[in-house]
Amino acid sequence: MTAFTLADLDRIVRERAAASPDESYTAKLVAGGPARPAKKLGEEAVEAAIAAVQGDREGLKAEAADVLYHLLVVLQAADVPLEAVMAELERRTAQSGIAEKASRRPA
Protein backbone atom coordinates (compact mmCIF):
# COMPACT_ATOMS: atom_id res chain seq x y z
CA MET A 1 0.00 0.00 0.00
CA THR A 2 1.25 3.45 -0.85
CA ALA A 3 1.75 6.14 1.77
CA PHE A 4 0.50 8.80 -0.69
CA THR A 5 -2.84 10.24 0.45
CA LEU A 6 -5.61 12.40 -0.90
CA ALA A 7 -4.37 15.07 1.51
CA ASP A 8 -0.95 14.86 -0.19
CA LEU A 9 -2.57 15.38 -3.58
CA ASP A 10 -4.62 18.26 -2.21
CA ARG A 11 -1.46 19.97 -0.93
CA ILE A 12 0.20 19.57 -4.34
CA VAL A 13 -2.88 20.95 -6.12
CA ARG A 14 -2.95 23.98 -3.79
CA GLU A 15 0.77 24.63 -4.34
CA ARG A 16 0.52 24.29 -8.12
CA ALA A 17 -2.64 26.40 -8.32
CA ALA A 18 -0.61 29.27 -6.86
CA ALA A 19 2.02 28.99 -9.62
CA SER A 20 2.01 30.78 -12.95
CA PRO A 21 -0.43 29.37 -15.52
CA ASP A 22 2.53 29.32 -17.93
CA GLU A 23 4.30 26.84 -15.65
CA SER A 24 1.48 24.76 -14.17
CA TYR A 25 -1.41 22.88 -15.75
CA THR A 26 -3.23 23.14 -12.43
CA ALA A 27 -2.82 26.92 -12.37
CA LYS A 28 -3.96 27.08 -16.00
CA LEU A 29 -7.15 25.16 -15.14
CA VAL A 30 -7.89 27.40 -12.13
CA ALA A 31 -7.17 30.57 -14.14
CA GLY A 32 -9.79 29.46 -16.66
CA GLY A 33 -12.57 30.10 -14.14
CA PRO A 34 -14.78 27.49 -12.49
CA ALA A 35 -16.12 26.12 -15.78
CA ARG A 36 -12.76 24.96 -17.08
CA PRO A 37 -11.82 22.53 -14.28
CA ALA A 38 -15.48 21.50 -13.93
CA LYS A 39 -15.60 20.54 -17.60
CA LYS A 40 -12.43 18.46 -17.23
CA LEU A 41 -13.87 16.77 -14.12
CA GLY A 42 -16.99 15.84 -16.08
CA GLU A 43 -14.96 14.46 -18.98
CA GLU A 44 -12.80 12.36 -16.68
CA ALA A 45 -15.82 11.08 -14.76
CA VAL A 46 -17.44 9.90 -18.00
CA GLU A 47 -14.20 8.20 -19.05
CA ALA A 48 -14.00 6.47 -15.65
CA ALA A 49 -17.60 5.28 -15.96
CA ILE A 50 -16.94 3.91 -19.45
CA ALA A 51 -13.83 2.08 -18.26
CA ALA A 52 -15.84 0.59 -15.37
CA VAL A 53 -18.64 -0.61 -17.66
CA GLN A 54 -16.12 -2.10 -20.08
CA GLY A 55 -14.35 -3.94 -17.26
CA ASP A 56 -11.11 -2.10 -18.07
CA ARG A 57 -9.42 -2.20 -14.67
CA GLU A 58 -6.23 -0.44 -15.79
CA GLY A 59 -8.22 2.23 -17.60
CA LEU A 60 -10.47 2.68 -14.58
CA LYS A 61 -7.44 3.06 -12.31
CA ALA A 62 -5.99 5.78 -14.55
CA GLU A 63 -9.31 7.57 -15.03
CA ALA A 64 -10.11 7.41 -11.30
CA ALA A 65 -6.79 9.14 -10.62
CA ASP A 66 -7.78 11.83 -13.15
CA VAL A 67 -11.19 12.22 -11.47
CA LEU A 68 -9.65 12.68 -8.03
CA TYR A 69 -7.11 15.20 -9.33
CA HIS A 70 -9.69 17.23 -11.25
CA LEU A 71 -12.14 17.13 -8.32
CA LEU A 72 -9.46 18.65 -6.10
CA VAL A 73 -8.80 21.32 -8.73
CA VAL A 74 -12.53 22.13 -8.83
CA LEU A 75 -12.58 22.37 -5.04
CA GLN A 76 -9.51 24.62 -5.11
CA ALA A 77 -11.07 26.88 -7.75
CA ALA A 78 -14.25 27.14 -5.64
CA ASP A 79 -12.31 27.73 -2.42
CA VAL A 80 -13.82 24.64 -0.80
CA PRO A 81 -11.23 22.91 1.39
CA LEU A 82 -10.85 19.14 1.18
CA GLU A 83 -11.26 19.10 4.97
CA ALA A 84 -14.83 20.41 4.55
CA VAL A 85 -15.64 17.58 2.14
CA MET A 86 -14.09 15.03 4.50
CA ALA A 87 -16.11 16.47 7.40
CA GLU A 88 -19.27 16.10 5.32
CA LEU A 89 -18.39 12.48 4.54
CA GLU A 90 -17.72 11.85 8.22
CA ARG A 91 -21.09 13.38 9.14
CA ARG A 92 -22.85 11.21 6.58
CA THR A 93 -21.22 7.99 7.73
CA ALA A 94 -22.67 8.49 11.19
CA GLN A 95 -25.90 7.04 9.80
CA SER A 96 -26.85 4.59 7.10
CA GLY A 97 -26.80 5.75 3.50
CA ILE A 98 -30.54 5.11 3.19
CA ALA A 99 -31.33 7.23 6.26
CA GLU A 100 -28.95 9.98 5.11
CA LYS A 101 -30.54 10.14 1.67
CA ALA A 102 -34.04 10.21 3.17
CA SER A 103 -33.06 13.17 5.35
CA ARG A 104 -32.20 15.35 2.33
CA ARG A 105 -34.73 17.87 1.13
CA PRO A 106 -36.27 17.13 -2.27
CA ALA A 107 -34.75 19.20 -5.09
Side-chain angles (χ1 to χ4, degrees):
M1 186 76 180
T2 180
F4 189 76
T5 67
L6 199 54
D8 293 330
L9 180 59
D10 183 55
R11 177 186 45 77
I12 292 166
V13 165
R14 284 185 280 115
E15 289 170 0
R16 292 183 180 170
S20 166
D22 295 330
E23 298 173 5
S24 167
Y25 175 67
T26 302
K28 189 178 231 179
L29 284 172
V30 172
R36 187 163 186 189
K39 180 181 179 207
K40 285 301 295 178
L41 173 60
E43 290 170 3
E44 300 302 343
V46 168
E47 291 171 3
I50 290 169
V53 168
Q54 292 177 340
D56 178 2
R57 292 174 54 92
E58 287 301 309
L60 179 56
K61 179 174 64 175
E63 296 303 340
D66 289 344
V67 167
L68 291 174
Y69 162 75
H70 285 93
L71 175 58
L72 291 177
V73 175
V74 166
L75 292 173
Q76 173 67 30
D79 197 28
V80 175
L82 176 61
E83 293 79 18
V85 176
M86 299 308 291
E88 177 63 13
L89 285 170
E90 182 178 30
R91 182 191 69 76
R92 289 181 183 191
T93 59
Q95 60 184 332
S96 79
I98 293 171
E100 190 281 326
K101 189 162 179 119
S103 71
R104 294 184 200 172
R105 290 184 234 161

